[in-house]
Amino acid sequence: MQKIVFITGATAGFGKACAEKFAAHGYDLILNGRRTDRLESLQKELVNKFNVAILLLPFDVRNEKAVFENINSLPEEWQKIDVLINNAGLALGRGYFDEGDLDDWNTMIDTNVKGLMYVAKAVVPYLIKQKQGHIINMGSVAGKQVYEKGNAYCASKFAVDALNQALRIDLLRHGIKVTAIHPGAAETEFSIVRFKGDEATAKEIYDGLVPLTAEDVAEVIWYCTTLPAHVCINELVITCLQQADAIYFNRTT
Ligand code: NDP
Ligand code: 8X3
């Protein structure tokens, strides 16, 4: 039977790489992000290449009303979601707590925590109805260990870690798999967004490293969704070889 994956934040980075990966394996796709032009060109590309069906659902995950209106009104043929990749998220700024920008904090918490919760809450009734499904929550090494100047972003990803555990516990009785992926440094648009378009500073994050790619992360997510029905990976922490955890790097390349 045709399978469906719903990916938030599919206009770049991990979400886009997941869209390519799942389409290559014949999944139909529901793709979310705010940049509609990017969603449309990705749709065109993947339909041409893999002949899959794609539904675009452009909305801001911070917008509670938009999340529930869009997901509650999915056409019936799109309601049988097999996999939700709850990936939309961002960091904004990297600085001491006492120098932090409240707007940046609010955006990170609203997107990474509340947005992820809204989308899961809206999708879960479909998974419960079909008595199966898999939620992949995008965490981070920053949600496992706090680093200097990480404060609000780390807090948002610690919350994702907690929600991932909470969802698995609360959905246990419905037979729904819940997995968190916690990547380390991966070269996507993440750092350009974090440093607000300052490409030189964004690049420094990866100095001396062969960082993870979006495709590396998509490959791991794909793997988690291909295991036998009775097997659930609870969480995975993934770094490049030159990163030991959220703090220690071997910058030699
Ligand atoms: P990118 O910046 O490349 O992609 C982020 C995606 O999230 C974009 O598609 C963006 O789409 C979407 N997004 C952001 N805000 C919203 C919003 N309010 N509503 C809907 N979509 C939104 O970054 P990554 O792919 O690297 O990041 C994806 C996830 O992985 C994030 O949760 C991030 O925290 C996490 N992560 C990243 C790591 C890294 O080093 N790259 C490591 C660990 C975790 P648009 O702007 O079009 O809305
Ligand atoms: C992104 C990885 O180390 O920049 O979540 O926080 S890090």
Side-chain angles (χ1 to χ4, degrees):
M1 208 168 49
Q2 196 55 35
K3 292 197 163 189
I4 297 175
V5 60
F6 181 174
I7 305 169
T8 66
T11 58
F14 300 158
K16 183 164 183 266
C18 285
E20 284 159 359
K21 188 83 195 168
F22 280 74
H25 286 276
Y27 269 70
D28 288 338
L29 315 172
I30 303 173
L31 301 181
N32 158 265
R34 291 165 301 177
R35 286 168 288 182
T36 311
D37 54 332
R38 286 201 185 196
L39 287 177
E40 285 169 353
S41 68
L42 184 60
Q43 177 184 42
K44 222 173 267 168
E45 182 194 326
L46 297 180
V47 167
N48 281 339
K49 210 162 158 191
F50 302 113
N51 194 29
V52 292
I54 300 182
L55 178 72
L56 301 184
L57 227 47
F59 59 76
D60 186 326
V61 298
R62 291 172 295 175
N63 184 334
E64 177 186 334
K65 192 163 171 274
V67 171
F68 286 95
E69 275 180 7
N70 274 279
I71 298 177
N72 289 346
S73 62
L74 278 176
E76 207 181 331
E77 67 273 23
W78 286 100
Q79 293 179 7
K80 283 195 81 294
I81 295 163
D82 295 279
V83 180
L84 164 65
I85 304 179
N86 221 346
N87 161 76
L90 79 174
L92 281 177
R94 186 165 172 157
Y96 292 116
F97 181 87
D98 49 296
E99 293 167 3
D101 180 292
L102 284 171
D103 288 338
D104 288 350
W105 292 359
N106 285 327
T107 304
M108 286 188 276
I109 301 292
D110 289 348
T111 309
N112 301 354
V113 184
K114 291 168 72 180
L116 176 136
M117 293 173 79
Y118 296 157
V119 172
K121 174 93 168 107
V123 168
V124 153
Y126 296 131
L127 309 188
I128 291 176
K129 195 169 159 204
Q130 67 204 22
K131 299 190 176 67
Q132 68 97 27
H134 195 163
I135 301 172
I136 308 274
N137 292 309
M138 189 54 66
S140 169
V141 291
K144 290 285 168 188
Q145 198 179 13
V146 176
Y147 53 82
E148 188 183 43
K149 301 179 180 176
N151 46 69
Y153 179 66
C154 292
S156 77
K157 290 299 183 180
F158 269 71
V160 172
D161 188 18
L163 286 163
N164 185 67
Q165 295 178 46
L167 275 164
R168 196 171 41 256
I169 293 165
D170 289 348
L171 298 178
L172 190 59
R173 70 199 193 287
H174 296 295
I176 294 165
K177 296 189 188 187
V178 182
T179 301
I181 304 294
H182 298 290
E187 198 160 5
T188 61
E189 294 178 12
F190 176 83
S191 292
I192 295 169
V193 171
R194 181 173 214 168
F195 297 110
K196 303 175 181 174
D198 176 350
E199 297 200 10
T201 306
K203 224 168 166 33
E204 278 170 21
I205 297 295
Y206 312 106
D207 267 358
L209 297 178
V210 179
L212 293 175
T213 64
E215 289 71 27
D216 295 329
V217 174
E219 180 70 38
V220 171
I221 291 174
W222 171 250
Y223 169 75
C224 292
T225 65
T226 52
L227 293 168
H230 67 287
V231 181
C232 177
I233 294 193
N234 291 195
E235 60 179 290
L236 283 178
V237 179
I238 319 157
T239 62
C240 69
L241 181 59
Q242 293 166 283
Q243 181 174 9
D245 58 13
I247 296 165
Y248 290 99
F249 291 86
N250 179 31
R251 295 183 188 270
T252 52
T253 300

